[in-house]
Amino acid sequence: MRRSIILSFSFILSGCSTIGFSDLFNDYATQMTPIRNAIENNNIEEARSLIAKNNTTHSSYLLNQLEQARLDDFAKRADDAQNKFENVYKQMQSKRAAAKIQVSAGLEQSNALFTNDSVITYVPPAYEMSMLHSYKALNYAYKNDVESALVEIRRANKVQVDALVENEKDIDSIAKEAQRHYPSMNNITRKVKNGFQNAYTFYLSALLYQSAKQYDDAYIDYKKALAIEPNNIYLQRDVMRLAKKQGFEQDLNEFKQRFSDAPSMAANQGEVVVLFEQGLVPKQDEFKLRLPIYTSRDDMRFYSLAIPVYKDNAYVRRVNNINIDTLNLALSPLVHIEALAAKTLEDAIPAKVARQVLRLVAKEKVRAELARSAGDVGNILANIYNLASEQADTRSWLTLPNQISVARDTLNVGVHSLYVGTHAPINFTVSKQRLTLIYLTSANNYFNYHVVQL
């Protein structure tokens, strides 16, 4: 009997080969809580130290690299951030190209039957990859390397195009039944159509094209951003200005019927664009979903499935207006990343539920075999393991902002001051017929900014 217990328990633990021991007892979102707290308390070096000590399993390596890169940006270590972002991009390219990914993915799916979804290699979803390329583009823009920034922007836009093509999914009857009992996340998804189209990346793309005097390309991306956020007044003005500049009379006439006229820029003026990211994207929580599963004896028992879900209420911006000199400007949202994250999770639930059902069946068979070969001791060991390993996979890029908004206006050439809440004024210069980008990042007590002339 002792031999049976040892062999059986060793078999169970073999399912943990790609997951850290701590991951069996603490899900990813819980492990990230001290790091997020350090960011919000403006202790960036502490956050960087904590993330470096995190148990970086093979399955979560790319996600850890994203978190570290974002913290490097917080710490104004742009070169370190760029290297990590590039590493993620290259590995993602290799994964897509390598035929062996089919084999390794199959092995990971098998391991997941004996542990949980955390053993499956984390593949950043489309909205996270778009943000990766957007941050790389920004870091290039801060160095006035617009050409390299545009390369990243094209990659970000390709992510969205590819995701649109691949978005069709099949949902089986089991998953549909489970999804019927899954809690609604409508409050957070904000009724977005999908989890990958992002007006912010299109807007950043349009800005960079405009700065490079590629006005047709800029116009196309402003229109794409407007299609996603049709109520954004700054986007409305941007498409009207460029439609007029490029002589797109038919579009301009249509815009005039929908929007108020956009003020023109005088010869001795330039433009200032303020992009403001606020908060941290919410973490996923665990939701217990009870479903009937038939045991090895054809007895129906109810088992709990551990499914990730976003339970928080939608984020509310702490700052809604900014002031430039005596001019008050309202911030208008470009993207609610929490909505993209929640929609991405919502779309993934059918596949997650299907894996959970298979996992419960597999674990029940193992438990029954241990009970048969090792008696009560084997049964107890199996139940302890099943309880410890059955938890929701709450992995996502948790150092991303929650929302990104924009404010934009024309100003006279010269020095101006930007006022944000109680922070010290930010002085900047507007040049004739040029774009000045001010990028703000705020997460509770953390505040940072970049100023660059495009």
Side-chain angles (χ1 to χ4, degrees), residues 28 32 63 67 122 127-128 281-284 310 341 394-399:
Y28 182 80
M32 282 293 295
L63 179 55
E67 306 284 21
Y122 185 84
Y127 79 92
E128 292 184 355
V281 70
K283 64 181 180 66
Q284 297 174 15
Y310 287 99
T394 59
R395 290 177 297 175
S396 66
W397 190 357
L398 289 178
T399 48

Side-chain angles (χ1 to χ4, degrees), residues 10 125 135 146 158 332 381:
S10 296
Y135 284 132
V146 175
K158 186 177 186 302
S332 187
L381 287 174

Side-chain angles (χ1 to χ4, degrees), residues 296-350:
S296 56
R297 297 180 179 179
D298 289 330
D299 298 325
M300 188 181 73
R301 296 182 183 178
F302 279 87
Y303 289 84
S304 292
L305 278 66
I307 306 292
V309 67
Y310 287 99
K311 295 181 180 178
D312 296 339
N313 291 326
Y315 177 79
V316 178
R317 296 194 310 273
R318 297 180 64 177
V319 179
N320 295 298
N321 296 273
I322 58 172
N323 289 282
I324 298 178
D325 301 330
T326 59
L327 177 66
N328 183 269
L329 292 175
L331 291 163
S332 187
L334 283 172
V335 64
H336 301 91
I337 293 180
E338 63 177 358
L340 301 183
K343 183 61 177 175
T344 297
L345 175 59
E346 189 175 72
D347 290 343
I349 285 303

Side-chain angles (χ1 to χ4, degrees), residues 394-422:
T394 59
R395 290 177 297 175
S396 66
W397 190 357
L398 289 178
T399 48
L400 282 176
N402 202 307
Q403 295 184 16
I404 306 178
S405 303
V406 63
R408 181 170 184 165
D409 211 338
T410 56
L411 297 173
N412 291 331
V413 170
V415 178
H416 300 270
S417 296
L418 170 67
Y419 299 89
V420 182
T422 59

Side-chain angles (χ1 to χ4, degrees), residues 142-154:
Y142 297 152
K143 295 181 177 181
N144 291 113
D145 187 353
V146 175
E147 184 176 346
S148 296
L150 285 172
V151 170
E152 294 302 327
I153 281 301
R154 293 186 190 102

Side-chain angles (χ1 to χ4, degrees), residues 89 126-137 149-163 196-198 200-202 204-205 221:
Y89 169 70
Y127 79 92
E128 292 184 355
M129 289 303 296
S130 289
M131 292 304 298
L132 177 154
H133 293 300
S134 297
Y135 284 132
K136 286 196 71 181
L150 285 172
V151 170
E152 294 302 327
I153 281 301
R154 293 186 190 102
R155 289 173 176 173
N157 290 345
K158 186 177 186 302
V159 167
Q160 298 187 66
V161 171
D162 290 347
F196 48 84
Q197 286 188 304
N198 182 339
Y200 162 73
T201 55
F202 285 130
L204 182 59
S205 172
D221 281 352

Side-chain angles (χ1 to χ4, degrees), residues 44-114:
I44 302 305
E45 289 307 314
E46 179 186 350
R48 293 181 72 240
S49 176
L50 289 171
I51 194 71
K53 295 175 182 177
N54 253 22
N55 180 27
T56 310
T57 61
H58 170 73
S59 60
S60 298
Y61 173 73
L62 295 182
L63 179 55
N64 185 271
Q65 287 284 286
L66 292 175
E67 306 284 21
Q68 289 198 45
R70 177 75 169 148
L71 290 173
D72 286 339
D73 270 342
F74 280 144
K76 297 187 176 181
R77 301 169 66 100
D79 290 342
D80 292 338
Q82 293 292 74
N83 289 336
K84 292 182 178 70
F85 283 139
E86 183 66 14
N87 178 37
V88 174
Y89 169 70
K90 287 182 176 179
Q91 293 211 32
M92 286 292 291
Q93 291 296 97
S94 297
K95 284 180 180 297
R96 293 189 181 99
K100 66 181 181 181
I101 188 64
Q102 301 298 328
V103 177
S104 63
L107 292 175
E108 288 175 351
Q109 296 285 343
S110 298
N111 280 342
L113 291 179
F114 297 101

Side-chain angles (χ1 to χ4, degrees), residues 5 367 370-371 374-383:
I5 294 173
R367 184 207 61 76
L370 276 176
D376 290 342
V377 175
N379 189 39
I380 292 171
L381 287 174
N383 281 323

